[in-house]
Amino acid sequence: MDSRLIELTELGPSLAGVLHREDLPPHVEEALVDIETADLLVAASPVYRASFTGLFKHLFDFVGQYALVGQPVLVAATSGGERHALIIEHQLRPLFGFFQSLTLPLGVYASTTDFDGHRLRDGGSIHQRIDQAVTRGLPLVEQAARQRVSPHVSTW
């Protein structure tokens, strides 16, 4: 299984000031194609001012409106405390609902108590939450791989 980590900190300077996809440099276009063609997208953002970051949103502003239809998406977020855990339900799910993606039933939220420096704590409940999200989402990912997008999806 191939995977790709797209780091917004690396793409960010290339997104600054760009308003149209055709004006993006090739390495950003490549990242967008990888997002649009992934079998499973894990979309994660730190919480900033009670939402995902502006850079995260700006990247998804360039994703084709119908490019993620039916695509399984595991949503995840991190923040300094538990107060922002609803970002999963109130910010990330609606974003991917717009794209008509298949957001998996459980998202993963981690706060600073789940980390030791920049690494997840060993043996913490965060590992159980990740395992549970994957276990419950895997049947949907497998089903999505067998489905094809309806021909009725259009740009009307």
Side-chain angles (χ1 to χ4, degrees):
M1 172 173 28
D2 293 335
S3 64
R4 175 166 182 208
L5 176 63
I6 298 171
E7 292 277 356
L8 279 175
T9 55
E10 294 171 10
L11 297 182
S14 298
L15 293 172
V18 178
L19 299 177
H20 304 285
R21 185 165 173 166
E22 59 270 10
D23 297 330
L24 291 168
H27 71 284
V28 177
E29 177 62 29
E30 182 182 312
L32 289 168
V33 170
D34 286 347
I35 289 168
E36 294 172 341
T37 60
D39 294 325
L40 169 66
L41 182 62
V42 178
S45 175
V47 177
Y48 183 73
R49 298 195 178 181
S51 187
F52 39 74
T53 67
L55 195 53
F56 180 90
K57 175 64 168 70
H58 192 49
L59 176 69
F60 279 93
D61 286 340
F62 292 115
V63 170
Q65 183 174 350
Y66 300 102
L68 304 182
V69 172
Q71 184 187 69
V73 179
L74 173 64
V75 291
T78 61
S79 183
E82 301 302 323
R83 296 177 300 163
H84 296 293
L86 286 175
I87 184 177
I88 300 288
E89 303 304 325
H90 293 277
Q91 301 291 324
L92 291 168
R93 282 193 200 282
L95 174 64
F96 290 101
F98 165 81
F99 286 113
Q100 301 176 54
S101 301
L102 175 64
T103 54
L104 300 185
L106 295 177
V108 177
Y109 178 82
S111 68
T112 52
T113 60
D114 295 309
F115 289 90
D116 183 9
H118 295 286
R119 298 187 142 267
L120 288 174
R121 291 190 186 281
D122 289 333
S125 63
I126 186 67
H127 293 285
Q128 292 171 328
R129 293 194 306 265
I130 293 168
D131 289 344
Q132 191 175 44
V134 170
T135 299
R136 290 192 183 166
L138 193 56
L140 295 171
V141 173
E142 292 168 345
Q143 178 67 24
R146 292 189 294 269
Q147 298 287 4
R148 61 182 185 81
V149 174
S150 168
H152 300 290
V153 173
S154 68
T155 57
W156 44 266

